[in-house]
């Protein structure tokens, strides 16, 4: 049943989405906080380019671990409990990063914060998809991407304000370098998330999957009314194996390692990163300083990119449940390929000044700025939100947690490779050749979507690729 339901409790659903997407806000804020702190990290810990890349990327290693274990723990403990653990890690990680003078402890804290980011990245869209009506599930899950970009933009704005107040990221505010405050500020939204999670219910699909049908019926009744709750309990129950509870082995298939639907999720997860979007989000300040602008102007351009990204996500909210997920992905692949190609051209003519900084010709500089923002628009209309929407809804109930664990691990692993490699690629290959590689990835992503991705618009979660219970229990 995919039609509109007059008994839907939109007030409760909106409240649940609002709380769940605070995790997305923190995902974005913690990811973006490093943008503007790199000079401080280099100075405080005496880092070279490789060490800086690892320090920045240590968050992403934590994200990969957090996404994997959160997906599995969500099946065992519940979506809400694991999000509570993630919120606590957000708080602790932010405080230690802002205070410690020991590089190893900083990296450990950044890894712990990354585990929280990874957990939030998979659990927020998963949780929203499991409570939202099918006909508006896409736009509600897209709110997650809005909050991610809002978090990124908030980090850019806070970092810019702190940099302005201190004169530079290395200047002092209340006896502490400004770049330290950029990390400490993360604790504020993290505490809000931790408290707010106590006021939302557990996912009804997780409750049914763990045999707590009456609790699930109570949640579904609050969401959709008693008649709809009774119908959905039966549909959800039928989508789970009677033989065993969800487990990691459910995502596998003889001869191909994973089931086809899991491979499709892996393609989405990895190519969302291979197009290089987080180079702009994580290294935006460094990128624009390489292009010859000042630290203040670089931080201003980060803010512009963030605002443009938020506007693009609102376009997605308006159209994703009308034109579908797959068309948006295809449009995004074409747009990103063209704009990344333009950036490749713009940086191909860059020259170094006497100080070793890159300088772009005026015309090429404007091409780079306009192309970068158009690229951000195409990404955030398509692959940015749609990848998370699809990962939250494309998998059958039986394997959703485990499939998200695998896809989340791949997504953050790809993210780490891109971020870790960028400083070395930019200095070794040059920005032009680096962006050429991202352009090629965008072209490949178009053909992968066209060949392997199926539309999920308007389908109930119980209508996704069917689960066939094994005839004998394995393991």
């Amino acid at each position: 049943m995919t039609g509109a339901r007059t008994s839907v409790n939109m007030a409760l659903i909106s409240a649940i989405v609002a709380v769940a997407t605070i995790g997305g806000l923190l995902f974005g804020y913690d990811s973006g906080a490093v943008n503007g702190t790199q000079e401080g990290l280099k100075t405080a810990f005496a880092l070279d380019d490789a060490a800086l890349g690892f320090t920045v990327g240590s968050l992403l290693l934590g994200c990969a671990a957090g996404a994997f274990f959160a997906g599995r723990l969500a099946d065992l403990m519940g979506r809400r409990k694991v999000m509570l653990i993630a919120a606590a890690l957000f708080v602790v990680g932010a405080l230690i990063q802002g205070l410690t003078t020991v590089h190893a402890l900083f990296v450990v804290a950044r890894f712990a914060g990354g585990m929280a980011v990874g957990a939030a990245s998979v659990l927020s869209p998963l949780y929203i998809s499991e409570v939202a009506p099918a006909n508006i599930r896409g736009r509600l899950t897209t709110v997650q991407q809005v909050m991610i970009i809002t978090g990124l933009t908030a980090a850019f704005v806070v970092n810019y304000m702190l940099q302005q107040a201190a004169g530079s990221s290395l200047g002092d505010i209340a006896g502490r370098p400004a770049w330290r405050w950029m990390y400490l500020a993360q604790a504020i939204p993290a505490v809000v998330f931790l408290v707010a999670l106590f006021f939302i219910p557990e996912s009804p699909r997780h409750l049914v999957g763990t045999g707590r049908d009456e609790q699930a019926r109570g949640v579904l009744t609050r969401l959709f009314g008693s008649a709809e709750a009774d119908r959905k309990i039966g549909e959800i129950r039928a989508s789970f194996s009677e033989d065993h509870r969800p487990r990691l082995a459910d995502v596998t298939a003889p001869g191909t390692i994973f089931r086809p639907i899991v491979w499709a999720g892996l393609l989405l997860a990895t190519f969302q990163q291979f197009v290089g979007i987080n180079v702009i989000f994580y290294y935006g300040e460094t990128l624009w300083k390489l292009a010859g602008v000042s630290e203040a102007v670089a931080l201003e351009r980060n803010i512009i990119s963030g605002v443009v990204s938020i506007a693009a996500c609102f376009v997605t909210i308006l159209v994703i449940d009308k034109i579908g997920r797959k068309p948006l992905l295809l449009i995004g692949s074409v747009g990103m390929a063209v704009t990344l190609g333009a950036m490749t051209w713009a940086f191909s003519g860059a020259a170094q000044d006497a100080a070793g900084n890159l300088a772009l010709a005026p015309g090429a500089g404007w091409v780079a700025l306009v192309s970068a923002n158009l690229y951000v628009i195409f990404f955030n209309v398509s692959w940015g939100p749609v990848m998370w929407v699809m990962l939250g809804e494309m998998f059958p109930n039986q394997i959703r947690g485990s499939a998200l664990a695998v896809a989340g691990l791949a997504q953050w692993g790809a993210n780490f490779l891109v971020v870790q490699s960028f400083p070395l690629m930019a200095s070794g290959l040059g920005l032009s050749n680096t962006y050429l590689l991202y352009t090629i990835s965008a072209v490949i992503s178009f053909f992968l979507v066209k060949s392997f991705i199926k539309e999920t618009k308007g389908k109930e979660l119980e209508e996704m690729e069917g689960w066939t219970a094994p005839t004998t229990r394995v393991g």
Side-chain angles (χ1 to χ4, degrees), residues 48-74:
D48 58 19
D49 283 346
L52 175 63
F54 176 76
T55 302
V56 172
S58 60
L59 178 106
L60 303 178
L61 290 175
C63 291
F68 180 78
F69 289 110
R72 288 297 301 126
L73 289 174

Side-chain angles (χ1 to χ4, degrees), residues 30 49 53 71 100 114 127 164 183 256 300 310 358 372 374 412 414 436:
D30 282 29
D49 283 346
T100 186
Y127 184 80
Q164 290 289 294
Y183 287 109
T256 59
E300 287 175 357
I310 294 171
L358 283 181
L374 287 174
W412 286 109
L436 177 60

Side-chain angles (χ1 to χ4, degrees), residues 208-468:
V208 172
T210 52
R212 291 176 283 175
D213 287 14
E214 286 309 309
Q215 292 181 49
R217 183 173 283 105
V219 175
L220 288 168
T221 298
R222 292 173 62 195
L223 291 171
F224 304 116
S226 57
E228 183 67 11
D230 290 337
R231 183 187 70 81
K232 289 191 73 65
I233 286 287
E235 289 183 354
I236 296 170
R237 169 57 58 199
S239 69
F240 284 97
S241 168
E242 296 182 359
D243 183 61
H244 61 268
R245 288 176 58 179
R247 60 188 184 186
L248 188 59
D250 291 337
V251 304
T252 61
T256 59
I257 305 177
F258 297 118
R259 296 172 62 180
I261 190 67
V262 178
W263 279 117
L266 288 170
L267 290 175
L268 286 175
T270 53
F271 272 85
Q272 193 215 40
Q273 293 304 308
F274 287 164
V275 296
I277 187 64
N278 281 322
V279 167
I280 288 181
F281 286 149
Y282 295 165
Y283 288 104
E285 181 212 10
T286 301
L287 170 66
W288 293 118
K289 287 169 71 176
L290 283 171
V293 304
S294 68
E295 179 180 60
V297 172
L299 291 173
E300 287 175 357
R301 291 189 179 179
N302 283 344
I303 296 171
I304 293 172
S305 292
V307 172
V308 168
S309 297
I310 294 171
C313 289
F314 278 106
V315 174
T316 310
I317 289 174
L318 293 175
V319 303
I320 189 169
D321 287 316
K322 296 178 181 178
I323 70 174
R325 286 64 160 150
K326 186 170 181 175
L328 283 175
L329 290 172
L330 293 171
I331 291 169
S333 293
V334 172
M336 289 188 297
V338 172
T339 51
L340 283 167
M343 292 176 72
T344 300
W345 173 84
F347 283 107
S348 66
Q352 286 190 335
D353 60 22
N357 297 317
L358 283 181
L360 295 177
W366 277 107
V367 170
L369 179 60
V370 172
S371 297
N373 282 291
L374 287 174
Y375 164 65
V376 166
I377 289 173
F378 277 111
F379 178 85
N380 283 293
V381 165
S382 60
W383 280 78
V386 175
M387 188 276 290
W388 292 114
V389 169
M390 292 203 69
L391 289 188
E393 68 184 12
M394 68 189 289
F395 303 117
N397 286 332
Q398 178 73 25
I399 69 167
R400 186 169 299 116
S402 295
L404 271 169
V406 173
L409 177 65
Q411 203 269 347
W412 286 109
N415 194 331
F416 174 77
L417 289 175
V418 170
V419 173
Q420 175 73 13
S421 64
F422 175 72
L424 297 175
M425 289 171 62
S427 60
L429 297 176
L431 284 176
S432 179
N433 288 328
T434 301
Y435 277 108
L436 177 60
L437 293 176
Y438 302 147
T439 303
I440 293 170
S441 293
V443 173
I444 294 172
S445 73
F446 175 88
F447 295 101
L448 291 176
V449 169
K450 190 172 180 62
S451 300
F452 299 110
I453 301 302
K454 297 180 180 179
E455 184 58 67
T456 57
K457 177 178 67 116
K459 292 184 178 181
E460 293 283 359
L461 297 185
E462 287 68 44
E463 297 177 56
M464 300 305 170
E465 181 188 332
W467 163 257
T468 303

Side-chain angles (χ1 to χ4, degrees), residues 125 128-129 136-145 388-389 393:
I128 293 168
S129 72
I136 58 171
R137 187 178 59 236
R139 71 189 71 165
L140 291 180
T141 309
T142 300
V143 175
Q144 162 83 348
Q145 183 70 10
W388 292 114
V389 169
E393 68 184 12

Side-chain angles (χ1 to χ4, degrees), residues 23-33 117 147-153 155:
L25 178 79
L26 284 162
F27 170 178
Y29 197 104
D30 282 29
S31 298
V117 172
M147 294 295 277
I148 292 171
I149 305 303
T150 300
L152 279 165
T153 306

